[in-house]
């Protein structure tokens, strides 16, 4: 697998582990109360698992397996690198703002970064959605 | 496709159907006079969909298609893979029963089942990451 895919999947696995840990703590606390403050982990739990794990893994796999161009090129990979950087920045901004009760403008900035990531990856991947060998 | 992947994928398809069925029941509450206790199943709906369907499908496909760990142990540890399958499904099934029950009867003393469910699912995530990490390789 290409370097970008490997790095993005490693990050996705870490998000999975941390997201499951937060979720496990929340569920445990729901059954056997530990500390009420644990509920503040909920926004990070959701963000890490939906975007950090699931969305990132899907994009990483797409970068790897979508049909390549003639000569085996994957095209302008810098666009995809930028998309992954924006996606991860967005995950952290939204998770931190939600879990620590920070300014709503940080959440907005995070969502903007995630939307930018989707746009960049869409622009990057558009021409790779084609018949193999074309 | 390895046997374990077939179990992951087929179980995920069952959860996909059951999650959407439950989602339909939850939505129907606004149209029909269904029992109030159904509201306690909302978290179960999300997790049947996202853990039982999406995550479990990913686990199965990753176990099948990621690069070989080594020629001798292409999928690293099949035993750990089966442990992931059992833990994620036992944990989730336990949650399906215990979470609504505990929400509706908090004094019944069944909260420890939720705690057990949390531990089982967390272990599944941990074992999946351990079994997969070494198969994420640049070429």
């Amino acid at each position: 697998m290409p370097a970008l895919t490997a790095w993005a999947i490693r990050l996705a696995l870490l998000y999975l582990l941390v997201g499951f840990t937060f979720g496990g703590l929340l569920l445990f606390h729901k059954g056997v109360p530990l500390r009420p403050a644990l509920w503040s982990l909920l926004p990070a739990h959701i963000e890490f698992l939906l975007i950090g794990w699931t969305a990132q893994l899907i994009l990483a796999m797409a970068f790897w397996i979508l049909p390549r161009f003639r000569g085996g090129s994957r095209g302008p990979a810098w666009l995809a690198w930028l998309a992954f950087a924006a996606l991860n920045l967005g995950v952290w901004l939204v998770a931190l703002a939600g879990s620590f009760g920070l300014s709503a403008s940080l959440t907005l900035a995070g969502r903007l970064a995630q939307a930018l990531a989707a746009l960049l990856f869409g622009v990057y991947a558009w021409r790779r959605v084609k018949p193999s060998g074309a | 496709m390895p046997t374990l992947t077939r179990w992951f994928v087929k179980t995920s398809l069952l959860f996909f159907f059951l999650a959407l069925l439950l989602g339909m029941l939850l939505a129907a509450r606004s149209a029909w006079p269904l029992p109030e206790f159904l509201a306690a199943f909302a978290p179960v709906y999300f997790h049947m969909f996202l853990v039982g369907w999406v995550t479990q499908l990913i686990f199965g496909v990753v176990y099948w298609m990621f690069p070989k760990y080594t020629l001798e142990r292409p999928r690293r540890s099949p035993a750990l893979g089966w442990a992931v399958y059992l833990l994620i499904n036992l944990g989730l099934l336990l949650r399906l029963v215990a979470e609504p029950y505990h929400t509706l009867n908090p004094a019944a003393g069944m909260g420890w089942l939720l705690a057990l469910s949390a531990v089982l699912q967390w272990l599944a995530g941990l074992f999946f990451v351990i079994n997969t990490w070494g198969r994420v390789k640049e070429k």
Side-chain angles (χ1 to χ4, degrees), chain A residues 2 4 13 19 23-24 27 34 41-42 45 52 54 57 60 62 69-70 74-75 78 92 97 100 115 121 127-128:
Chain A
L4 174 55
L13 288 171
L27 188 61
L34 300 171
L41 295 175
L42 184 62
H45 164 64
T54 310
L57 185 85
F69 300 109
R70 285 180 203 281
R74 287 191 168 85
W78 63 272
W92 279 98
F100 288 100
F121 196 84
R127 290 191 309 126
R128 284 185 64 189

Side-chain angles (χ1 to χ4, degrees), chain B:
Chain B
M1 173 186 294
T3 305
L4 177 55
T5 295
R6 296 205 300 274
W7 278 86
F8 269 125
V9 173
K10 286 181 177 173
T11 311
S12 80
L13 289 170
L14 286 175
F15 272 116
F16 184 39
F17 169 67
L18 292 174
L20 294 185
L21 198 63
L22 182 55
M24 185 193 72
L25 277 176
L26 290 170
R29 285 181 308 134
S30 59
W32 297 318
L34 293 175
E36 281 297 316
F37 74 82
L38 274 175
F41 283 81
V44 164
Y45 161 63
F46 297 131
H47 289 89
M48 280 172 81
F49 191 93
L50 291 167
V51 178
W53 156 239
V54 178
T55 299
Q56 181 151 225
L57 183 71
I58 291 172
F59 280 8
V61 173
V62 163
Y63 182 77
W64 173 26
M65 303 202 73
F66 266 29
K68 292 181 175 69
Y69 181 60
T70 61
L71 282 177
E72 297 76 26
R73 298 166 62 203
R75 297 194 168 91
R76 194 162 187 175
S77 167
L80 208 52
W82 279 103
V84 171
Y85 175 81
L86 291 173
L87 287 165
I88 198 88
N89 285 293
L90 279 177
L92 190 55
L93 288 172
L94 198 53
R95 179 179 197 158
L96 306 189
V97 179
E99 191 170 28
Y101 188 81
H102 180 67
T103 302
L104 297 165
N105 309 284
M110 303 297 276
W112 64 274
L113 284 176
L114 275 187
L116 177 61
S117 163
V119 172
L120 295 178
Q121 292 180 80
W122 181 76
L123 283 174
L126 176 68
F127 290 170
F128 173 76
V129 171
I130 289 171
N131 215 24
T132 305
W133 193 267
R135 295 179 62 188
V136 181
K137 305 185 215 189
E138 296 168 37
K139 186 177 163 188

